[in-house]
Amino acid sequence: MTRRNATQDFMAHNQAMMHTYCHQLAATWFELHPEATAAELVEFLREQAEKAQTVAAEVYVAKEGMTMDEAMEFQVRHYDYRDMMRRELSVNG
């Protein structure tokens, strides 16, 4: 077993849960929409992400005193994982 500190354990757990959730969400969506295309799934996931980002932005507004625009921009700057995903998928895909 790999030795990790508490922060690494937390991150590993979060990543596992996120991957599990995403897999189950996509699999269930295809189960309910067997005729759907991958592009339709991606659009559904984009819509779900936007809803979640809005809720998260509301938390930043309430707890950090940001405006909604500031909170949404903060998320764009700090929570864009596409480059990281490209690197991971090109190595592990």
Side-chain angles (χ1 to χ4, degrees):
M1 186 164 144
T2 304
R3 296 184 61 81
R4 293 184 287 260
N5 63 33
T7 299
Q8 291 167 325
D9 284 347
F10 177 78
M11 291 173 64
H13 179 264
N14 279 352
Q15 184 177 27
M17 296 307 295
M18 179 183 62
H19 285 225
T20 301
Y21 178 84
C22 291
H23 170 259
Q24 291 177 5
L25 180 62
T28 303
W29 194 84
F30 269 131
E31 181 182 300
L32 297 173
H33 303 89
E35 74 292 346
T37 65
E40 290 170 319
L41 173 62
V42 170
E43 178 60 21
F44 167 74
L45 294 173
R46 184 196 60 74
E47 290 169 358
Q48 295 301 302
E50 283 184 359
K51 289 176 188 176
Q53 288 171 344
T54 298
V55 171
E58 290 169 354
V59 171
Y60 286 116
V61 168
K63 297 201 175 228
E64 303 296 332
M66 294 179 176
T67 67
M68 193 63 160
D69 288 341
E70 290 170 334
M72 292 300 281
E73 177 59 30
F74 177 84
Q75 290 184 102
V76 168
R77 279 194 322 270
H78 294 282
Y79 300 113
D80 183 353
Y81 303 111
R82 297 292 300 270
D83 287 339
M84 178 192 68
M85 290 175 176
R86 283 185 195 98
R87 286 190 304 273
E88 282 191 20
L89 292 172
S90 66
V91 172
N92 299 320

